[in-house]
Amino acid sequence: MAVKAVGTWVAGFCETGRSDIGGRRAIAGAAGPNWRSEVSTVGGRLERAGVCMKPVEDVKPMKDENFSSVPPSSEVDGEAGNGGADKQLGKLNRDLPSGLLPKPLSLTDLTVSSHGSNVRVAYQGCPGAFSEAAALKAYPRCVAVPCEQFEVAFKAVELWLVDKAVLPIENSVGGSIHRNYDLLLCHRLHIVGEVQMAVNHCLMTLPGVKKEEIKRVLSHPQALAQCEIALSKLGVIRESIDDTALAAQLVASNDLKDAGAVASARAAEIYGLKIVEERIQDTPDNITRFLILAREPIIPRADRLFKTSIVFTLEEGSGVLFKALAVFALRNINLTKIESRPQRKRPLRVVDDSNYGTAKYFDYLFYIDFEASMAEPRAQNALAHLQEFATFLRVLGSYPMDTSL
């Protein structure tokens, strides 16, 4: 088996490493301002390590912020971290004049170009969503751009409509957001940072409506699940909405006197609702982790805490997953997350064994986060070792860790 080492990360440039495994080539990833795309043939198909898009006229990609200067999460939940957005939006009444709120991007909006000197950050949801707060925590003076769906946020970055996207990837209570794991592989964006934010679920109603008068509560399914105990005591009907902030908007705009919403305190202020109870989540330490995505990767460093995210596939065999994880343990690299997702295009792998007959196995993609920078030799050596038995390997990003919590 011919194996080439993973590309060596140097200041300013990284050349993608490839390995020929059974007639196929695996991609290790690329980074740096002079980064270039690598193409390899996998089973007769072209696999690209990344796409370096040329910006449209007058739109310049933004430099990454220094994450050491990120303000505390308490500033985001209040007024200090939103860059004056609260003063601009004002406190809306129940009538909600449509001109005061930005309209979420939809798929039909993705052909329109965007101009401006401020960093534009896409998030999924409406103004007042927790994802908006995460975007403002990462980039306090950014222009936060709401999007209807996760995929719209990905495409908005690819089409140069925005500079970054901030999207949730896991919650300490609800677990992983599987849709975003799948989209990471479907799109050629790079993880350039992370944001960890405490989530405070508030129960809110129209002004003058008492908590005992609520017959139903609207919110996102995960928010409803995270407030199971409090909602069970109320004995209310739960209605699922695509976004927590959208739930607050619906209660206000439709004058629903028999309904409440579970959303952020900022959403209550934006839509003119009254908070009847705060922190109704079952677990007080409710943390959501968000990823910051960009068109180009950042240059990894070794002088601060970095995290690296990868995705790979393995052949079926005894102990093969153990071998994959051992490459990190042998080099004292801590794994912070392991997630497996079925391959949609090839969900089943058929193995014909003459001794035991034909067997069918689920074919998985393995996502791993580990605490090491791709600037470190131990990380480079670990991935070179992993390539010896991985059928596919891609670096999703090497980025600074958020240690603000």
Side-chain angles (χ1 to χ4, degrees), residues 215-401:
K215 299 295 186 294
R216 54 195 176 118
V217 171
L218 287 63
S219 194
H220 188 276
Q222 282 210 9
L224 295 173
Q226 293 168 17
C227 304
E228 175 71 27
I229 297 175
L231 297 180
S232 295
K233 290 180 179 179
L234 285 176
V236 295
I237 299 173
R238 296 155 213 185
E239 298 183 10
S240 296
I241 305 295
D242 291 341
D243 176 44
T244 55
L246 179 60
Q249 181 182 355
L250 290 175
V251 171
S253 60
N254 295 310
D255 200 30
L256 302 179
K257 293 183 172 60
D258 66 334
V262 174
S264 68
R266 174 171 160 79
E269 183 174 358
I270 290 175
Y271 301 108
L273 299 180
K274 178 188 69 173
I275 297 176
V276 295
E277 188 175 354
E278 291 192 66
R279 303 189 181 280
I280 65 170
Q281 60 266 21
D282 297 344
T283 306
D285 295 328
N286 188 358
I287 310 299
T288 298
R289 177 172 167 253
F290 297 81
L291 296 180
I292 305 174
L293 305 175
R295 288 176 293 274
E296 296 186 16
I298 61 174
I299 299 175
R301 296 157 52 183
D303 59 346
R304 61 180 301 179
L305 293 176
F306 259 67
K307 185 181 291 185
T308 300
S309 298
I310 64 173
V311 57
F312 61 91
T313 57
L314 300 168
E315 289 287 0
E316 185 64 34
S318 177
V320 65
L321 182 57
F322 170 79
K323 294 177 183 178
L325 301 181
V327 305
F328 301 100
L330 290 172
R331 294 164 179 87
N332 198 30
I333 297 176
N334 182 40
L335 302 183
T336 60
K337 181 70 185 295
I338 303 175
E339 183 74 30
S340 62
R341 296 290 296 151
Q343 295 200 55
R344 292 192 172 189
K345 294 184 178 179
R346 196 178 106 176
L348 290 176
R349 177 185 294 151
V350 179
V351 179
D352 187 9
D353 192 316
S354 57
N355 295 327
Y356 301 101
T358 301
K360 293 183 178 180
Y361 299 93
F362 285 105
D363 206 2
Y364 287 101
L365 291 157
F366 297 97
Y367 293 83
I368 284 183
D369 296 340
F370 59 87
E371 292 181 344
S373 169
M374 283 305 298
E376 300 180 59
R378 59 172 184 158
Q380 301 169 25
N381 294 334
L383 295 194
H385 192 176
L386 179 59
Q387 278 191 299
E388 294 181 9
F389 38 85
T391 56
F392 167 78
L393 173 61
R394 177 179 164 192
V395 175
L396 299 172
S398 189
Y399 48 93
M401 293 175 57

Side-chain angles (χ1 to χ4, degrees), residues 99-113:
L100 293 181
L101 293 177
K103 179 184 176 183
L105 284 177
S106 64
L107 288 172
T108 58
D109 298 324
L110 295 181
T111 57
V112 182
S113 62

